[in-house]
Amino acid sequence: MVQATVGVTGLAVMGRNLARNFARHGHPVAVHNRTAGRTRALVDEFGDEGTFLPAETPEAFVASLERPRKIIVMVKAGAPTDAVIEEFAPLLDPGDILVDGGNAFFLDTRRREAALRQREVRFVGTGVSGGEEGALNGPSIMPGGPREAYAELGPLLESVAASVDGTPCCTHVGEEGAGHFVKMVHNGIEYADMQLIAESYDLLRHAAGLEPPEIAEVFRTWNDGRLESYLIEITAQILDHVDPATGQPFVDVVLDRAEQKGTGRWTVQNALDLGVPVPGIAEAVFARSVSGHTGLRAAAAGLPGPDPDAAPVLDLVGAVERALYASKIVAYAQGFHQIEAGAAEYGWDVDAGALATIWRGGCIIRARFLDRIRAAYEADPHLPTLLTDTGFADALGGAQDDWRRVVAAAARAGVPAPGFAGALAYYDALRAARLPAALTQAQRDYFGAHTYRRTDRGGVFHTRWAQDGAEEETG
Ligand code: 6PG
């Protein structure tokens, strides 16, 4: 009897497509779903794509797998994941590998891995990016969990991952929760990237006065250059799309409220805990939040803005391209900073260059740009920030005049551009010789005796502001 080399439980669109991907690559795949109808539908519709071993019960599913078993759980993150683990764990043997391919919160993954370790089941929290199309044709896969589990699981996952220049977009990114952590930050970067693209569109439309098909053409041109990426490519297609029902540009008939399932918010919450500045990601999360506050927006809609008949800003296209590229460097620099800080905090060994390598294909943020990041970390694995890589520093230097012009043009035209403005502020803050944090610290000392350090000598000081104004050394 044929035994399955891998099993997939949870056959909604992501699980179903991943199972088909395994089957198409010649792996006999066991398939199971809580409601058996989905399992039958998968085999009826796609059974000729490879060897599927459908199972109606968890027991039959587990029995159809070769050992050590490799089971991929593709259910909605949260309580459903715990329910599946509870159902399957008693059926597994020591050494079996349980993979969670959902968008789980990484602290849940740590907890689950620790619990399953008691049963000697190896739990591998894995980021999977690329949406339903990626799951079918090659996603970017970010497994965490025990390194020795990857030795057995890796070849299987690598065989179905996307591949760029012959390198699979899958690697062991780090121990235990590291896989879901980096997927979380990937999504945070995805939010920032999308926000910057949205601001570029808004500027070209409302400051430069271009129409959606013209902007689509601009994006298509950009996609032939250093900004080449999946997100730029789909943006051009969306802007070209005409709504069949109304004949209007499609972008004009979509309600301007961006939703979120929450991974971007988690990224920012975690960055706050780690003390890592990720304003690019935070601005993107908040921009979605602002868009959803329709009551607030309606109340403020009458507030004065700049002259609506002001002449369009000329020659903005090239400047926006440079501002977008520079802001994108900043957003990725912030994301990689968070990954580095997370790895240090949670004790994982994460290789930033390897991560950039597996994000080059399959995932939502796939881009030519990732190859530049890979090269930057190859040149210096201990790069303090992507901004100081020679190539990126040159690009930032070359962009900065236009970047400032774009932020100014946005302010003048009343186009909200928090991503561009925030990225520029981050750049200026990092390169500043002196920050006004000196004044902030002095204020803290004034009202709360929180002390300060001096530029000219060591020690900790307090000035007796309310008494004699004299300085005392406190430590
Ligand atoms: C991916 C995507 C995927 C999903 C996001 C959308 O990498 O394939 O990130 O995980 O599209 O969860 O997130 P929001 O609903 O929060 O925008």
Side-chain angles (χ1 to χ4, degrees):
M1 200 181 92
V2 181
Q3 291 260 289
T5 43
V6 62
V8 177
T9 181
L11 299 176
V13 66
M14 287 293 286
R16 187 182 62 169
N17 282 359
L18 197 61
R20 291 174 61 198
N21 190 350
F22 279 119
R24 287 172 170 196
H25 281 87
H27 304 292
V29 54
V31 285
H32 168 262
N33 193 66
R34 198 166 46 86
T35 49
R38 270 211 174 136
T39 315
R40 282 195 290 271
L42 165 60
V43 178
D44 287 349
E45 218 175 320
F46 304 107
D48 58 353
E49 291 185 346
T51 306
F52 292 96
L53 280 73
E56 299 220 346
T57 63
E59 290 77 8
F61 177 69
V62 164
S64 68
L65 283 153
E66 67 180 34
R67 295 177 192 205
R69 299 180 183 92
K70 299 176 193 74
I71 297 175
I72 305 187
V73 181
M74 296 298 290
V75 299
K76 203 167 174 310
T81 310
D82 284 316
V84 170
I85 291 173
E86 243 161 69
E87 193 173 22
F88 279 89
L91 306 175
L92 300 179
D93 292 318
D96 285 348
I97 300 174
L98 198 56
V99 181
D100 174 13
N103 265 338
F105 184 51
F106 75 98
L107 292 179
D108 288 339
T109 303
R110 300 184 97 189
R111 166 178 62 75
R112 289 170 183 144
E113 187 182 345
L116 284 164
R117 208 177 294 133
Q118 307 294 317
R119 297 175 179 259
E120 293 177 64
V121 169
R122 296 175 287 175
F123 185 68
V124 178
T126 300
V128 179
S129 178
E132 49 188 281
E133 200 243 287
L136 184 61
N137 298 318
S140 176
I141 310 181
M142 301 151 234
R147 187 168 291 279
E148 41 80 25
Y150 189 78
E152 287 164 63
L153 187 65
L156 190 67
L157 296 182
E158 288 176 17
S159 73
V160 297
S163 129
V164 175
D165 301 336
T167 305
C169 296
C170 173
T171 192
H172 181 244
V173 297
E175 300 72 15
E176 42 137 68
H180 279 137
F181 181 84
V182 301
K183 176 57 170 49
M184 175 187 78
V185 179
H186 163 285
N187 280 25
I189 294 173
E190 174 185 305
Y191 277 47
D193 221 338
M194 291 168 73
Q195 174 64 20
L196 293 170
I197 290 172
E199 290 179 20
S200 302
Y201 151 76
D202 208 14
L203 274 157
L204 294 179
R205 184 119 191 231
H206 298 113
L210 303 185
E211 291 303 321
E214 296 172 302
I215 305 173
E217 186 52 34
V218 169
F219 275 90
R220 255 193 304 279
T221 316
W222 288 353
N223 205 39
D224 286 334
R226 59 187 179 171
L227 283 170
E228 180 194 329
S229 63
Y230 171 71
L231 286 170
I232 295 280
E233 182 190 330
I234 65 166
T235 304
Q237 289 175 19
I238 292 166
L239 292 174
D240 251 344
H241 187 56
V242 173
D243 174 47
T246 60
Q248 299 292 311
F250 177 72
V251 70
D252 288 347
V253 300
V254 178
L255 214 57
D256 60 346
R257 278 187 233 157
E259 297 178 8
Q260 52 176 312
K261 288 202 286 289
T263 42
R265 187 175 57 235
W266 288 345
T267 311
V268 177
Q269 286 170 335
N270 170 260
L272 292 171
D273 289 342
L274 292 173
V276 175
V278 293
I281 300 170
E283 290 294 4
V285 174
F286 284 130
R288 290 193 191 192
S289 168
V290 166
S291 79
H293 278 278
T294 46
L296 200 59
R297 291 174 60 192
L303 293 174
D307 176 7
D309 299 322
V313 186
L314 300 175
D315 301 329
L316 205 57
V317 173
V320 172
E321 191 272 346
R322 285 182 277 283
L324 176 55
Y325 192 70
S327 302
K328 192 171 156 126
I329 296 171
V330 167
Y332 280 69
Q334 292 170 1
F336 275 89
H337 182 190
Q338 182 167 354
I339 287 169
E340 200 179 292
E345 173 72 19
Y346 307 114
W348 306 319
D349 185 14
V350 179
D351 176 345
L355 210 51
T357 304
I358 65 162
W359 285 351
R360 292 181 307 165
C363 63
I364 303 296
I365 63 169
R366 62 184 180 263
R368 181 192 289 200
F369 181 69
L370 263 314
D371 218 22
R372 297 289 332 274
I373 298 182
R374 183 196 57 75
Y377 282 115
E378 197 173 82
D380 180 1
H382 303 294
L383 202 57
T385 165
L386 280 176
L387 305 192
T388 57
D389 164 70
T390 324
F392 287 135
D394 284 352
L396 290 163
Q400 63 137 350
D401 284 345
D402 279 327
W403 197 3
R404 296 179 195 287
R405 196 161 78 80
V406 165
V407 171
R412 252 194 306 272
V415 170
F420 281 155
L424 181 58
Y426 178 88
Y427 172 76
D428 281 335
L430 286 200
R431 51 166 216 90
R434 290 277 296 160
L435 287 170
L439 179 59
T440 308
Q441 191 61 15
Q443 290 169 323
R444 295 183 71 243
D445 186 60
Y446 190 109
F447 60 65
H450 293 301
T451 73
Y452 53 89
R453 291 173 189 277
R454 297 183 55 96
T455 56
D456 53 357
R457 58 184 196 274
V460 179
F461 302 90
H462 166 60
T463 291
R464 293 189 295 256
W465 300 96
Q467 292 100 46
D468 58 0
E471 182 176 80
E472 61 192 36
E473 190 160 357
T474 64

